[in-house]
Amino acid sequence: HLLFTFYNIVVKKKKAEDPETPLCYAVVPLYSDGRIVVHNLENNYGISSFLSKLEPDYVTKVMNDPPPVVGKSPFLIRFNLVSTIYPEDKSITKFLNIYHTTEEEVSDKELVSVLQQLQNLSELLAIQYLPVIINNLMEVMVTRANNKPQFEAFRTLVMVMHKVRTKLQENGVSRTALLELYSNYIFQQTFTTSQPIYEAICSNFLLYMMELKCQKPSEQKADSVFINSWFFFDLVIKSMTL
């Protein structure tokens, strides 16, 4: 967060009088709900909540306040986010915040909803966050007991790979270089689970094909589950050797 301190400046001070007296404080949160604030070069960020003194939990108090109304604030700032390690996309942020949770912490229904939102991410973001997304989707596939979130994670993985292949447009090449790089050098089963990766991939791959078979041609969506089947086979083989 950014902390602003407002002072009363005494022009003609008397003896033993402090020339600068703190009047109030203003706080601008920079990280909220697992997501950093985006740049606002075109709009001003209004601050309508001021603190007379700084309590130990002043950040928590500001976070709980309603968002300021732009145009009705006595204090406006403008800033530009240049770089951050935190994703700015809401769907990625939600997924990264809950993928590792248990059923008691986050229900399967909520997790499925987050996975469905993740399927709509842009092609560019799919490429930028590819290793993180694939690793965490596979963790969902082997750690959740219910089949629904497992299958939805696999479906999301198929769509992410389709976006990567579509964006890179490597025509005439059977293997996408970025996916091959992941399978050869990045993929590692770093989480402990009773169900191996290869088992989860094979079972959900078969379910996905059965779903396609039951769909009418008009209901089928464009994807690359068969074009990228080599990627799944590579992960299966490597998972069996780890």
Side-chain angles (χ1 to χ4, degrees):
H1 66 277
L2 297 178
L3 175 63
F4 294 88
T5 304
F6 297 88
Y7 293 92
N8 177 44
I9 307 298
V10 180
V11 179
K12 296 181 180 180
K13 72 169 187 171
K14 300 177 181 179
K15 292 183 179 181
E17 184 181 12
D18 194 341
E20 297 182 359
T21 305
L23 293 178
C24 61
Y25 305 89
V27 180
V28 180
L30 295 181
Y31 188 75
S32 178
D33 296 328
R35 186 166 170 261
I36 198 165
V37 295
V38 297
H39 58 80
N40 68 335
L41 280 176
E42 310 224 338
N43 298 309
N44 293 313
Y45 185 96
I47 302 178
S48 56
S49 178
F50 293 88
L51 307 175
S52 58
K53 60 180 179 178
L54 291 181
E55 302 289 346
D57 60 341
Y58 72 91
V59 176
T60 304
K61 178 182 181 302
V62 172
M63 289 293 188
N64 294 331
D65 287 343
V69 179
V70 178
K72 297 183 179 181
S73 172
F75 180 51
L76 300 175
I77 63 173
R78 180 179 295 179
F79 53 91
N80 177 30
L81 178 64
V82 177
S83 178
T84 174
I85 62 173
Y86 302 103
E88 295 182 52
D89 183 82
K90 290 183 179 180
S91 63
I92 296 178
T93 301
K94 288 181 180 179
F95 174 64
L96 295 180
N97 284 340
I98 72 169
Y99 78 91
H100 56 280
T101 57
T102 62
E103 291 87 343
E104 290 76 19
E105 296 171 322
V106 176
S107 66
D108 289 336
K109 182 178 179 181
E110 182 179 351
L111 178 57
V112 168
S113 175
V114 171
L115 289 170
Q116 290 172 345
Q117 294 175 37
L118 185 63
Q119 295 169 10
N120 297 320
L121 85 165
S122 67
E123 296 171 349
L124 181 60
L125 287 176
I127 293 175
Q128 291 176 337
Y129 291 92
L130 182 67
V132 175
I133 291 176
I134 295 180
N135 285 344
N136 297 340
L137 286 174
M138 287 193 292
E139 183 168 347
V140 172
M141 290 165 55
V142 297
T143 55
R144 285 283 174 152
N146 195 301
N147 291 332
K148 186 144 186 151
Q150 292 181 21
F151 182 67
E152 201 62 43
F154 182 84
R155 192 205 305 271
T156 305
L157 178 57
V158 171
M159 293 186 178
V160 168
M161 290 192 303
H162 175 65
K163 291 176 183 290
V164 171
R165 185 179 180 86
T166 301
K167 182 66 175 179
L168 297 179
Q169 295 181 345
E170 298 174 336
N171 297 327
V173 181
S174 59
R175 293 185 170 219
T176 304
L178 186 58
L179 294 176
E180 190 170 23
L181 176 68
Y182 173 86
S183 62
N184 289 341
Y185 302 107
I186 301 177
F187 170 69
Q188 292 288 337
Q189 185 169 325
T190 56
F191 37 85
T192 304
T193 175
S194 58
Q195 184 183 20
I197 286 288
Y198 63 84
E199 182 179 314
I201 292 176
C202 291
S203 59
N204 285 285
F205 189 91
L206 291 174
L207 288 174
Y208 192 89
M209 289 191 295
M210 291 173 61
E211 183 183 71
L212 290 179
K213 184 178 179 180
C214 296
Q215 288 178 345
K216 298 178 182 179
S218 59
E219 298 174 340
Q220 295 180 1
K221 299 179 180 179
D223 60 59
S224 55
V225 64
F226 298 111
I227 297 176
N228 289 324
S229 58
W230 63 267
F231 178 75
F232 292 110
F233 297 149
D234 280 4
L235 294 186
V236 166
I237 294 172
K238 189 170 183 179
S239 173
M240 294 176 70
T241 59
L242 289 176

